[in-house]
């Protein structure tokens, strides 16, 4: 697998996570200059109490260390496990 393919697959999987989050949460995916991908989740329900967006999770992935689709899947599963339950859609948890 080449790096552009790994990056695009990783990005596609991370975008799919947005559909599994509740409506109060949003994701932000960025690619750093060193090819690392940064995945962040913000919880907008906390804006009412804090007055600003609250980042509840940030995970950086270096796709240069990924060589197979199984590793992409494993990384996505690790990220999913790190996401706080209050950010996940209720029907996904059951």
């Amino acid at each position: 697998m080449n790096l552009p393919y790994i990056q695009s697959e990783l990005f596609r999987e991370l975008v799919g996570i947005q559909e599994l989050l509740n409506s109060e949460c949003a994701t932000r995916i960025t690619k750093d200059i060193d090819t690392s991908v940064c995945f962040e989740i913000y919880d907008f329900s906390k804006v009412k109490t804090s007055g600003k967006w609250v980042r509840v999770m940030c995970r950086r992935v270096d796709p240069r260390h990924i060589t197979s689709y199984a590793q992409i899947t494993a990384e996505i599963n690790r990220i999913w496990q790190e996401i706080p339950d209050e950010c996940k859609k209720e029907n996904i948890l059951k």
Side-chain angles (χ1 to χ4, degrees):
M1 294 176 72
N2 62 25
L3 187 59
Y5 176 78
I6 292 168
Q7 287 175 325
S8 65
E9 283 300 304
L10 187 59
F11 182 81
R12 186 179 66 76
E13 293 285 344
L14 291 172
V15 168
I17 288 177
Q18 174 65 47
E19 296 302 314
L20 303 176
L21 301 178
N22 68 42
S23 61
E24 296 289 334
C25 293
T27 59
R28 180 174 152 184
I29 304 168
T30 56
K31 184 175 92 59
D32 294 340
I33 198 163
D34 69 350
T35 71
S36 293
V37 175
C38 185
F39 178 73
E40 300 170 282
I41 296 179
Y42 292 86
D43 187 345
F44 294 106
S45 68
K46 299 180 191 276
V47 171
K48 298 168 191 154
T49 56
S50 68
K52 58 185 175 182
W53 295 5
V54 176
R55 184 173 68 184
V56 294
M57 187 193 141
C58 180
R59 175 72 187 260
R60 189 170 308 280
V61 180
D62 188 348
R64 294 175 293 184
H65 302 294
I66 296 174
T67 58
S68 69
Y69 195 79
Q71 288 177 312
I72 293 172
T73 302
E75 192 63 36
I76 294 299
N77 288 337
R78 275 192 289 278
I79 290 170
W80 179 253
Q81 294 304 316
E82 291 177 13
I83 296 173
D85 286 342
E86 66 266 12
C87 293
K88 297 174 183 178
K89 285 184 179 174
E90 200 170 304
N91 59 355
I92 298 294
L93 296 174
K94 295 179 180 176

